[in-house]
Amino acid sequence: MPLGRARRPRARTLAVLAVLGVALVGCAGPTAAPTASPTPPPSAVPQPGVAALRGTPVDPAAADHPALAVKIDNQQSARPQIGLDRADLVFEELVEGGLTRYAALWHSDVPGEVGPVRSVRPMDPDILSSFGGIVAYSGGQPQFVEAMQNTPLLNVVFDTDETGLFRRVDERESPHDVVLSAAEVVQRNTELAPPGRQFDYADSAATSGAALTGDATAAIFTAFSASSGRGWTWDAAARAYLRSQDGDVDLDAGGVQLAATNVVVLRVDVDRSTEVPRTVLSGSGVAWVSSNGSTLAATWFKDAAVAPIRLADAAGATVDLAPGNTWIELVPTDDGSVELVP
């Protein structure tokens, strides 16, 4: 079902209780969780024949190139986005004014163009450093740009690019009109290493962690702020969760509703000491992993900026995702909410 505005106050109340570990009808709280990060498994190293960021079969020769991370706009006037439906991973993060922005990654399926491209934010180095490869964005405050340039990633920046990798498209209004030639920037930098695996993947959706031991989940409702509600509805025919924003279906540029094989919700602290909120993606916190129509309560761990996110169940075992694309919702603990509907 689509996310409706009337649901938000109830969802925020349920989320507060869920973080305290209280069991609720229609809202799943975490079970007892480990207090130490699980040991990174051997699968953190790229495996020949398996897409590093998707867990699906891939020709090793076709995967011998870097990942491309791009900051993608999510204001109303920036939708529908270009190429977002083909991303392996999409991180959704809180920015100013209660809005959200994406840090999207392509590796197994790189489109010709992606966009609209927007500026970098203070949490992006922590989100993206573990992937290596390339990051593209349209600038940002000097301290944020400097922090990103100090990461292991090759920075490709609209404001300083003189190689023609970016262009403005006439059919969109500025500043929501910057598009990146994604396939070309990857092809120019094939000497960079492919990414390691951020998450672990099961052999099939039916053997993913959520499918085996999770609870049936027909819908996932999250709110990043009072003005940013998100919904994911399980579609058994599509074998995916279908996305909505603020009560409306969320479409890609081809007119197809955005979908995710896995929806991973991480509750995160947000540093609001300056006008630009900074998601704190380090340490650990509450998580929910949804795959194959079910959700498993978990704990997330991230030991350093260059370390991948680890997901552990109550016994401390690494949670396997279903093979396919994944959206990671970085929901604030202070002003956000999570509601799971059976």
Side-chain angles (χ1 to χ4, degrees), residues 271-332:
D271 180 353
R272 301 179 187 268
S273 60
T274 64
E275 64 178 357
V276 180
R278 182 180 71 86
T279 295
V280 181
L281 193 59
S282 61
S284 64
V286 174
W288 291 271
V289 180
S290 299
S291 309
N292 202 47
S294 295
T295 298
L296 178 64
T299 299
W300 67 265
F301 299 90
K302 198 173 194 301
D303 301 328
V306 295
I309 296 168
R310 296 293 171 203
L311 299 168
D313 63 17
T318 298
V319 177
D320 290 341
L321 302 185
N325 72 318
T326 301
W327 281 62
I328 303 96
E329 305 275 33
L330 303 177
V331 179

Side-chain angles (χ1 to χ4, degrees), residues 43-60:
S43 59
V45 177
Q47 294 182 343
V50 178
L53 306 186
R54 193 175 281 256
T56 52
V58 66
D59 178 356

